[in-house]
Amino acid sequence: MTDLTDAPDTAARAVPRPRGNVRWWICALLFTAVVLSYVDRLVLGVLKPQLTQLYGWTNSGYGDVTGYFQVCYGLGFLAFGWLIDRIGPKLGYLLAMGLWTTGHFAQVLVTSTTGFAIARIPLALGEAGTFPSALAAASQWFPKKERALAIGIFNAGANVGAIITPLLVSFLVASLLLDWRWAFVVTGVFNVVWLVAWWRFYHAPAAHPRITAEERAHIEAEPVETGGRVGFGTLLRHRETWAYMTGRFLIDPVWWTFLFWLPDFFSTTYGYDLKSFGPPLVAIYILADVGAVAGGWYSSHLLKRGTALRTARRRAMLICAFFALPVMFAANAPSIWWAVGAIGLACAAHQGFSTNLFATPGDIFPRYAQGTLIGLGGFAGAVGGFIASKSLGVILDRVGSYQPFFIACGLAYFVALAAVMLLNPRYRDVRIEPSA
């Protein structure tokens, strides 16, 4: 196979801009699904200060809720990564969102941290199918020159979901004075609407009724591997698999902890409540949105200029790592908005870094192995997130400071990039023979 570090793919670049934009409508559906998945997982975090007052939760108890969510999420990633390679992204997404919607509605039936930990099991298992399904769809619908940008766009849905959630929950609970359970009911209804749209609109490029011949030719300009299956054991024999998994293990905990604990940080550190911590969270996730799209755009821009694939991805990741450094000082910021700026830059750095890391399966692995690899990476990230969440809950109960966590966040991306480069120095096509 061609070594991707030696020269850019001039053949793919020679394909003219096609007439037709069905692939970007697919991208819009993927973006919306990611938005909904993050809204659903974040409702509890926004309600955490209120539920703590109502039901006497401890930080360790809440750490159990978030930690076990991530364990189930990681197991779900393994299952969906394996499953998507076999049933494809259309059925995979229908199964994933149907499962997580069930768990999302189930949260209205419980009040204790133990109850939420149990109710969120199907939520975690189903949401684990979000990115394996989305990345499989992106690999199916976008050539390499556009794939990082597409991933960056739907990856930005995480930040949009994080922006919408505090505003929506605050409107429902604080402004309309509805019971907190309505926050779960209203957001769950949106999932049902999306499921209908996905079922009716999504098809593979070769079978889509609305695609033009030019757009299909643009998508199919790159050679496609023959079908097959790859098991976990086969993938784990390759250094490139461990590079991807290690990167996810090191950076995913940063994002997970921000998602679940930032409302508590603003509440305990600055006295903000459900009515007031919305604007700081919105500002942070707007910056994260910029980082997601910018990280994908930058590496795609370098590729279009002829930069080698390895260099383009890693240059983007290195720049993102520098933007994460100021977060080390967030715990001792002189005001909330200094903290917001530092955390917002770190979230932007994370999204830009992860966009390029998420492109690895599609860049160098055969298509029939990508879902399984994504599952392994998601599992590794969830294990890291479980360790971080459990540790932070204990630290807060015993020490009462977020400072150790923020220092670790600032250094995580340099450590992750070094590990990825050490384990996968050449960034070239991985030759894996499919099983029968």
Side-chain angles (χ1 to χ4, degrees):
M1 290 189 177
T2 302
D3 189 333
L4 294 174
T5 64
D6 292 338
D9 186 353
T10 55
R13 185 176 54 190
V15 177
R17 184 183 298 273
R19 182 175 63 86
N21 56 6
V22 172
R23 67 194 187 284
W24 295 110
W25 283 105
I26 297 293
C27 187
L29 278 173
L30 297 174
F31 169 84
T32 305
V34 174
V35 170
L36 294 175
S37 74
Y38 272 77
V39 168
D40 290 352
R41 77 182 64 175
L42 292 178
V43 170
L44 179 61
V46 175
L47 290 172
K48 191 261 183 183
Q50 183 186 72
L51 296 177
T52 296
Q53 292 180 351
L54 288 174
Y55 304 113
W57 290 3
T58 64
N59 286 315
S60 296
Y62 181 66
D64 289 339
V65 174
T66 60
Y68 290 118
F69 176 93
Q70 290 167 82
V71 168
C72 294
Y73 187 84
L75 294 173
F77 239 116
L78 287 177
F80 272 102
W82 178 89
L83 186 64
I84 296 303
D85 283 339
R86 288 150 178 80
I87 68 174
K90 180 171 184 174
L91 292 178
Y93 237 139
L94 290 171
L95 176 62
M97 189 176 285
L99 184 60
W100 98 54
T101 301
T102 301
H104 187 62
F105 283 128
Q107 293 173 101
V108 304
L109 304 176
V110 297
T111 58
S112 67
T113 53
T114 301
F116 271 97
I118 295 172
R120 288 168 71 84
I121 290 174
L123 175 67
L125 294 174
E127 289 205 345
T130 300
F131 279 100
S133 300
L135 291 170
S139 179
Q140 196 173 71
W141 273 91
F142 291 90
K144 290 179 181 178
K145 297 289 184 183
E146 297 178 338
R147 194 173 300 148
L149 178 58
I151 293 172
I153 290 172
F154 68 70
N155 198 25
N159 312 308
V160 174
I163 290 169
I164 291 173
T165 307
L167 300 178
L168 179 59
V169 173
S170 176
F171 174 73
L172 293 172
V173 178
S175 298
L176 296 183
L177 301 179
L178 297 176
D179 183 82
W180 58 266
R181 294 171 179 83
W182 280 102
F184 294 103
V185 173
V186 172
T187 52
V189 170
F190 297 140
N191 298 348
V192 179
V193 176
W194 186 92
L195 284 167
V196 174
W198 181 256
W199 173 257
R200 291 180 61 86
F201 189 78
Y202 189 89
H203 305 277
H208 204 288
R210 301 187 183 183
I211 194 172
T212 64
E214 292 93 333
E215 186 174 17
R216 183 181 291 114
H218 175 74
I219 294 168
E220 297 175 351
E222 294 174 355
V224 177
E225 305 89 352
T226 57
R229 298 178 181 179
V230 174
F232 294 121
T234 301
L235 279 174
L236 290 172
R237 289 197 290 268
H238 293 269
R239 290 165 55 96
E240 294 84 358
T241 299
W242 288 100
Y244 181 70
M245 291 176 64
T246 302
R248 296 291 303 272
F249 176 82
L250 290 168
I251 71 167
D252 281 18
V254 178
W255 183 247
W256 279 105
T257 312
F258 281 149
L259 289 177
F260 290 136
W261 290 88
L262 277 182
D264 181 75
F265 171 69
F266 291 135
S267 176
T268 57
T269 306
Y270 299 102
Y272 277 46
D273 59 16
L274 188 60
K275 294 181 180 180
S276 54
F277 59 51
L281 291 174
V282 168
I284 286 170
Y285 292 117
I286 286 176
L287 287 173
D289 249 341
V290 173
V293 177
W297 171 86
Y298 181 65
S299 62
S300 294
H301 172 71
L302 292 177
L303 288 172
K304 290 178 181 178
R305 294 180 58 186
T307 304
L309 186 59
R310 178 185 64 180
T311 303
R313 299 288 191 238
R314 292 179 178 173
R315 188 179 297 173
M317 293 162 76
L318 178 62
I319 292 172
C320 291
F322 278 105
F323 276 100
L325 287 175
V327 80
M328 292 191 294
F329 309 101
N332 298 316
S335 72
I336 187 173
W337 289 105
W338 281 99
V340 166
I343 296 170
L345 284 176
C347 287
H350 173 88
Q351 291 294 72
F353 192 104
S354 63
T355 292
N356 286 278
L357 184 62
F358 285 171
T360 301
D363 283 345
I364 64 176
F365 283 83
R367 184 171 293 177
Y368 48 77
Q370 291 169 17
T372 305
L373 175 62
I374 292 164
L376 287 168
F379 176 76
V383 170
F386 170 76
I387 295 171
S389 190
K390 290 281 289 181
S391 300
L392 181 57
V394 173
I395 289 171
L396 290 175
D397 278 340
R398 295 183 179 179
V399 180
S401 173
Y402 279 87
Q403 182 65 28
F405 165 69
F406 284 126
I407 292 174
C409 291
L411 300 175
Y413 299 92
F414 285 104
V415 176
L417 180 57
V420 168
M421 293 175 67
L422 179 65
L423 290 169
N424 184 12
R426 301 178 69 179
Y427 207 80
R428 65 180 183 179
D429 284 352
V430 178
R431 302 184 65 177
I432 300 177
E433 293 299 326
S435 59

